[in-house]
Amino acid sequence: MAKLDDIIIEDTPGKRVLLMGNQAIARGAIEAGLGLAAAYPGTPSSEIMETLATASPKLGFHTEWSTNEKVAFEVAAGGAIAGVRSLTSMKNAGLNWVMDMFMTLVYGGVRGGYVIVVADDPDAHYSSNEQDTRFAAAYAAIPCLEPANAQEAKEMCKYAFDLSERLELPVFIRSVTRISHASGDVELGKIEKRENKPVFDKHWKMGWRWNVYGPPGAVEKHRWLHEQQAKIKQEMENIPWNKLELKPKQTLGIIASGIGASYAKDALKKLGVEEKVAFLKLGTPTPVPEKIVGKMLKSMKKILIVEEGEPIIEMQVNAIAKNVAPEVKILGKQTGALPAIGEINIDIAAQGIAKLTGKTLLPDEAREKTRTGVKKLISPRSSTLCAGCPHLGSYWALKQALRKVGGKVPIVNGDIGCYEQGGYGLSGKEYKPSFATESVRYPIEAPYETLDTNYIMGGGIGLMQGQYHAKYNDGPLVAVAGDSTFFHACIPAVINAVYNKSKGLFLVMDNFITAMTGHQPDPCTGKTVTGEDTKVLNIEDVAKACGVEFIKTVDPFDLKATQQAIEEALKSDKFAVVITSRVCTLQAQRMKQYAAKRMVFNKDVCTGCRLCVALGCPAITFDTKTKKAGIDPILCVGCGICADVCPFGAIKVET
Amino acid sequence: MTELNLIIAGVGGQGSILASHIVAMAAIDEGLLARVGETFGAAMRGGAVASHVRIGNEVQSPLVPKDGADIVLALEPLEGLRNIVNFLKKDGVLITNIHPWLPVDVNIGRAEYPSMEAIKNAVQSLGGRVVEVDATAVAQEAGNIRTVNSVMLGALAATGELPFSMDALKQAIRDNVPPKTIDANIRAFELGFATMKK
Ligand SMILES: Cc1ncc(C[n+]2csc(CCOP(=O)(O)OP(=O)(O)O)c2C)c(N)n1
């Protein structure tokens, strides 16, 4: 099998290859003759754009990492309005940023095919929540496709462009972690050569088609969207991935969609009841094909719905059943046959099927007991910041400065990025709920206990302003963010802080890249998604332009200077921005721009005070028997900051 | 064939995901279906990584069911243990590198690393069998410490459980490792294979 970059643009229909779901989606778009794609990184969706970007210079279409999902969505919508096949991709949370345009674009729809790919994350492996974005597709009244494997991911993406053009509406593809970040065999199809000629006609088939305010106005355009629904319903009945396998005399059945259908198929086989159970595999969870569902329900006594996320199919099937087969018993997430939270898998699907067929699957008690015993042996492998990560320096300096400046209970508002690990807590340590009525200060043993609040990208800087205006007075107020997050979500909030006279410290940890999601370039990297040189935006300049008066940029490896800058900021009576600026260590190593120092550890001098352990660097070791710290020579990257942390001179940089 | 369920476990940076893709590609090249599901955050260096590989004529979903793995291939012993506990079949086999990569929790004295003896007993208590490979030493012998994953693939191939040819597997290694390391990886693979046959 050749290299992925080559496979992705190879026009060899029929060839079978291994593709990750995200690569398959990208390949589907390429086969459909994509003209433009814009996205913002977010796990588990980023590889869609990364794959497209390897192909775009060769095939001549545009790709970009936009500053955030909303901008990406609009860039791609602009392409589609101009008749060019366009795609945007994002993670679940990204869709929350685009809702305004998303809900409004559909009033006039599109001219060129527009495919919106959203990768949900049931089980919140990489996300702040488990939200099921299929509801959003239903909310916007556009069809949602949901692939069951990598092959379908490719096919559906290709098909979605045609469907979008037939309906003149965007089409939504809902992926999940187990599709996007799983790989499977894919048979390649033909790459369609499209001219993607941009055209513009402002009254195309409808007056003021691309201007909701233009006559006949938004309400009439809403009417048009409703009229399209009949067409959508018709399409859903004929879509190749809505397939009913129903044999005479079967009275038990499963309706399953996307990855849920794959789990259900595997589970049926595992239980050996494939012949007994009718199977409706859905590729469109919303809207479901009413006629096919109705046809199945009429011969059923009991069915089980297997879907990943919220019970959105279950709700629709219940509504259909009311009319066509009210006697059918419908099992699913609403009835507790399947868990309402987390993700499913073969075993969970099997439990549901057992309930459908009236069997009970009993656990092997003895084995479970042995298992519990074995689990006690397994040490956790906690997630940490990398050895030599600049964020370690920022957190160390912040902790020292907060201690120095005083104030009873500081609030450190977190944000999303590698530095969010500043709120992951310490493994094995129990955090008990407290019911205090006064502010409480908790010790910070490691940087991983620093962040007091954390929700979503850009959230921290806003929360801090609310705390200030609520007159919180028990300690200093801080918010942190990274560079990609700064450009994505923080600029309006910075302007707001200046405009509405908030105070507090905004600590921007600038590592010049979107590290957490896999080192994608951002506006301060100097590179575009295809690696082309571009302008470097400087965060200090942006903050200045937003009216911030207290700004300091420091090197987080210089712990003293960083601590001092933070102390001054905390004491200042202004809204203050401190930028800790240093390239992500992994990135610097990769670019061969990293100068490692040689560290020497003198065990005789070490007092076992554990201060260096509190730095949180994974290369620092501690021997509980000898009560001495140390440095793991394999993990250490020689950044040297631990030498500045040790008050006894046990750690030195070799000169 | 019926089905092969395999888990390749290790620590971020050891190449367990690449190894799982190599196995899947070899299977596809010989006409089988393959599914690979990665679990846990793979991006982070030093994090726990496990990649599920399912090969057969009818496999659908990418995750190995509970107690469903025929083989757990561990590039790191603790990660082997972490995966066998839920996934190894009653008569399954754990093939493990014996060289630990200590987690930070152990490094700073908040947790203890299980002994190889304890790991072996644990696997046996669940009905499985353990095969130890000094893959780190073999990789050094092959001339590149970063070929631990190829050594382990060699050990895996030596079990005779893979439903496709050695040639397909070697070709998949050649196609997927960095070009400059092809020779070292093939050497590592062959040494890993030979270690098991000794
Ligand atoms: C709305 C939204 N989009 C995307 C993401 C995915 N994501 C997680 S962290 C992050 C940005 C990380 O970059 P940066 O702020 O520069 O911090 P770093 O990881 O480099 O320290 C992104 C895009 C998200 N969580 N939410």
Side-chain angles (χ1 to χ4, degrees):
Chain A
M1 222 172 267
K3 289 271 173 245
L4 180 76
D5 291 8
D6 301 326
I7 290 172
I8 243 34
I9 54 168
E10 227 180 71
D11 203 9
T12 46
K15 182 166 170 178
R16 291 175 71 243
V17 296
L18 178 78
L19 292 182
M20 186 191 214
N22 281 340
Q23 295 160 347
I25 289 167
R27 169 72 193 197
I30 289 169
E31 287 183 9
L34 181 71
L36 183 157
Y40 180 74
T43 320
S45 72
S46 311
E47 296 82 3
I48 299 171
M49 172 53 71
E50 284 172 343
T51 308
L52 288 172
T54 65
S56 64
K58 296 172 207 150
L59 298 181
F61 61 87
H62 174 76
T63 43
E64 68 171 54
W65 282 129
S66 310
T67 31
N68 67 26
E69 291 88 351
K70 179 178 186 292
V71 176
F73 186 95
E74 288 152 357
V75 169
I81 284 173
V84 170
R85 288 196 160 185
S86 301
L87 175 142
T88 188
S89 55
M90 65 198 78
K91 69 177 285 148
N92 55 6
L95 191 70
N96 303 333
W97 284 83
V98 313
M99 284 313 283
D100 199 359
M101 188 56 159
F102 183 57
M103 294 302 295
T104 313
L105 178 72
V106 293
Y107 275 29
V110 290
R111 182 162 188 170
Y114 187 17
V115 177
I116 301 161
V117 187
V118 181
D120 282 353
D121 189 18
D123 233 42
H125 299 279
Y126 316 101
S127 309
S128 307
N129 71 24
E130 291 197 284
Q131 69 183 59
D132 183 341
T133 57
R134 297 177 303 172
F135 280 110
Y139 191 15
I142 59 171
C144 172
L145 305 180
E146 188 175 32
N149 53 44
Q151 179 79 50
E152 280 190 13
K154 177 185 84 69
E155 301 301 335
M156 280 184 177
C157 187
K158 187 174 190 180
Y159 186 93
F161 281 97
D162 288 331
L163 180 62
S164 170
E165 282 166 11
R166 282 203 297 278
L167 295 169
E168 298 174 13
L169 277 172
V171 170
F172 195 95
I173 295 181
R174 189 253 192 162
S175 181
V176 291
T177 300
R178 302 303 179 191
I179 294 293
S180 279
H181 271 199
S183 304
D185 41 280
V186 173
E187 188 179 316
L188 300 181
K190 208 172 159 33
I191 294 182
E192 202 181 310
K193 299 266 178 311
R194 288 180 76 86
E195 197 193 345
N196 273 312
K197 182 173 155 233
V199 290
F200 190 74
D201 174 357
K202 74 172 168 183
H203 301 311
W204 189 58
K205 299 192 191 174
M206 200 194 303
W208 296 91
R209 178 82 187 243
W210 322 111
N211 175 346
V212 278
Y213 292 100
V219 177
E220 282 309 305
K221 284 165 189 164
H222 192 189
R223 186 194 308 283
W224 173 81
L225 178 59
H226 273 260
E227 284 162 7
Q228 295 308 95
Q229 300 307 304
K231 280 194 209 161
I232 294 177
K233 279 189 177 171
Q234 197 51 44
E235 290 274 359
M236 298 301 103
E237 300 295 337
N238 300 314
I239 229 141
W241 302 282
N242 288 337
K243 244 173 55 196
L244 176 60
E245 295 164 33
L246 173 65
K247 297 199 185 100
K249 297 215 185 105
Q250 282 177 329
T251 56
L252 300 178
I254 288 177
I255 300 180
S257 171
I259 189 74
S262 297
Y263 293 135
K265 280 268 176 193
D266 279 332
L268 280 171
K269 191 172 157 218
K270 191 178 168 195
L271 297 173
V273 293
E274 295 142 290
E275 291 304 310
K276 232 175 138 177
V277 180
F279 201 94
L280 172 55
K281 148 87 171 62
L282 291 183
T284 64
T286 166
V288 299
E290 282 177 25
K291 285 190 194 139
I292 303 175
V293 171
K295 180 177 167 207
M296 179 190 196
L297 288 176
K298 278 180 195 148
S299 45
M300 292 290 115
K301 284 207 173 101
K302 203 159 129 191
I303 63 161
L304 170 75
I305 317 256
V306 185
E307 59 187 313
E308 194 72 282
E310 302 292 331
I312 186 167
I313 295 175
E314 197 173 335
M315 283 157 55
Q316 294 173 79
V317 172
N318 268 298
I320 298 169
K322 222 174 221 163
N323 293 326
V324 303
E327 305 301 314
V328 182
K329 190 150 188 250
I330 299 168
L331 306 180
K333 298 195 167 193
Q334 287 179 321
T335 68
L338 291 170
I341 57 163
E343 65 181 347
I344 40 182
N345 56 35
I346 299 180
D347 301 296
I348 292 172
Q351 291 288 351
I353 294 169
K355 284 177 193 139
L356 175 74
T357 57
K359 268 212 193 95
T360 10
L361 298 177
L362 288 175
D364 176 344
E365 301 283 354
R367 194 171 173 78
E368 291 309 323
K369 226 178 127 193
T370 315
R371 220 193 288 280
T372 313
V374 171
K375 280 186 181 160
K376 294 200 182 107
L377 293 173
I378 306 175
S379 145
R381 191 177 288 279
S382 291
S383 156
T384 59
L385 292 162
C386 300
C389 172
H391 299 336
L392 289 169
S394 299
Y395 275 130
W396 180 263
L398 174 63
K399 180 174 146 180
Q400 303 311 319
L402 283 172
R403 216 186 39 173
K404 205 97 181 264
V405 171
K408 226 175 82 196
V409 187
I411 306 179
V412 184
N413 295 285
D415 218 301
I416 312 294
C418 285
Y419 49 87
E420 85 191 31
Q421 294 185 73
Y424 282 7
L426 289 178
S427 82
K429 181 163 169 185
E430 211 187 326
Y431 297 96
K432 292 208 185 79
S434 148
F435 300 92
T437 49
E438 296 293 324
S439 303
V440 186
R441 181 169 193 148
Y442 296 95
I444 298 179
E445 271 186 64
Y448 311 108
E449 296 185 303
T450 307
L451 299 180
D452 300 312
T453 72
N454 203 5
Y455 298 91
I456 59 138
M457 286 190 76
I461 167 97
L463 295 180
M464 179 178 83
Q465 294 171 47
Q467 291 148 2
Y468 174 76
H469 292 300
K471 304 193 171 58
Y472 181 80
N473 215 3
D474 292 346
L477 297 173
V478 182
V480 305
D483 47 287
S484 194
T485 300
F486 178 86
F487 289 107
H488 175 290
C490 297
I491 295 170
V494 168
I495 295 172
N496 192 64
V498 172
Y499 170 50
N500 284 306
K501 307 184 191 176
S502 185
K503 283 178 199 158
L505 161 66
F506 185 31
L507 180 63
V508 183
M509 303 189 193
D510 183 5
N511 59 8
F512 299 92
I513 204 134
T514 321
M516 179 166 233
T517 46
H519 296 96
Q520 294 84 5
D522 67 39
C524 62
T525 311
K527 297 274 178 203
T528 69
V529 69
T530 53
E532 247 177 80
D533 288 336
T534 184
K535 194 171 174 74
V536 178
L537 276 90
N538 177 295
I539 294 177
E540 180 163 335
D541 292 346
V542 176
K544 227 173 251 163
C546 292
V548 179
E549 287 170 12
F550 184 111
I551 311 178
K552 287 228 151 80
T553 300
V554 284
D555 174 2
F557 277 7
D558 185 342
L559 298 182
K560 266 205 197 97
T562 306
Q563 180 181 335
Q564 198 185 342
I566 295 176
E567 277 178 32
E568 278 171 38
L570 290 173
K571 285 185 207 146
S572 141
D573 60 349
K574 292 202 168 92
F575 172 68
V577 174
V578 173
I579 303 159
T580 51
S581 164
R582 177 171 276 270
V583 176
C584 163
T585 299
L586 289 188
Q587 181 65 8
Q589 285 176 322
R590 197 172 303 160
M591 307 297 283
K592 310 240 180 305
Q593 291 167 353
Y594 186 78
K597 299 179 184 129
R598 256 189 64 82
M599 307 303 299
V600 222
F601 193 93
N602 187 343
K603 287 228 185 293
D604 299 334
V605 180
C606 174
T607 65
C609 73
R610 290 184 73 103
L611 258 185
C612 57
V613 174
L615 175 65
C617 175
I620 300 280
T621 61
F622 192 83
D623 188 329
T624 43
K625 287 188 199 99
T626 59
K627 299 255 180 309
K628 299 270 178 194
I631 294 176
D632 183 325
I634 298 174
L635 293 182
C636 177
V637 298
C639 72
I641 60 173
C642 53
D644 294 332
V645 165
C646 178
F648 303 101
I651 311 177
K652 288 227 160 74
V653 175
E654 197 179 73
T655 41
Chain B
M1 72 159 298
T2 47
E3 206 175 284
L4 177 76
N5 286 314
L6 164 73
I7 293 177
I8 304 186
V11 174
Q14 283 190 310
S16 49
I17 296 195
L18 180 64
S20 67
H21 285 176
I22 286 171
V23 172
M25 284 182 192
I28 292 172
D29 276 346
E30 298 210 344
L32 295 160
L33 299 188
R35 299 284 185 269
V36 183
E38 66 174 66
T39 64
F40 313 119
M44 207 194 66
R45 190 175 283 182
V49 181
S51 207
H52 291 210
V53 186
R54 306 188 64 223
I55 294 168
N57 298 316
E58 286 175 357
V59 287
Q60 306 271 348
S61 61
L63 297 181
V64 171
K66 191 171 171 186
D67 294 338
D70 301 285
I71 301 171
V72 172
L73 188 72
L75 310 193
E76 200 281 340
L78 174 63
E79 295 317 309
L81 184 63
R82 196 185 309 285
N83 282 280
I84 63 104
V85 68
N86 284 325
F87 294 111
L88 193 66
K89 255 190 190 156
K90 264 189 189 155
D91 54 354
V93 48
L94 166 69
I95 308 175
T96 181
N97 181 11
I98 56 170
H99 189 82
W101 178 321
L102 298 185
V104 61
D105 313 75
V106 172
N107 258 343
I108 61 171
R110 289 189 72 91
E112 254 184 72
Y113 196 96
S115 69
M116 204 58 217
E117 220 32 55
I119 293 178
K120 277 198 273 191
N121 290 338
V123 175
Q124 277 155 14
S125 71
L126 287 161
R129 176 163 77 78
V130 182
V131 176
E132 296 168 73
V133 185
D134 192 350
T136 305
V138 178
Q140 252 153 358
E141 193 187 332
N144 185 340
I145 184 77
R146 303 189 64 176
T147 58
V148 166
N149 54 355
S150 292
V151 174
M152 293 305 288
L153 282 178
L156 173 67
T159 60
E161 301 280 331
L162 294 179
F164 45 78
S165 72
M166 285 268 285
D167 286 346
L169 193 57
K170 277 198 208 169
Q171 190 53 44
I173 293 177
R174 277 189 205 102
D175 287 343
N176 286 285
V177 299
K180 279 189 203 143
T181 68
I182 292 177
D183 289 345
N185 274 289
I186 293 293
R187 213 162 35 239
F189 175 83
E190 281 167 353
L191 285 171
F193 188 91
T195 315
M196 294 282 284
K197 292 287 171 189
K198 257 192 241 159

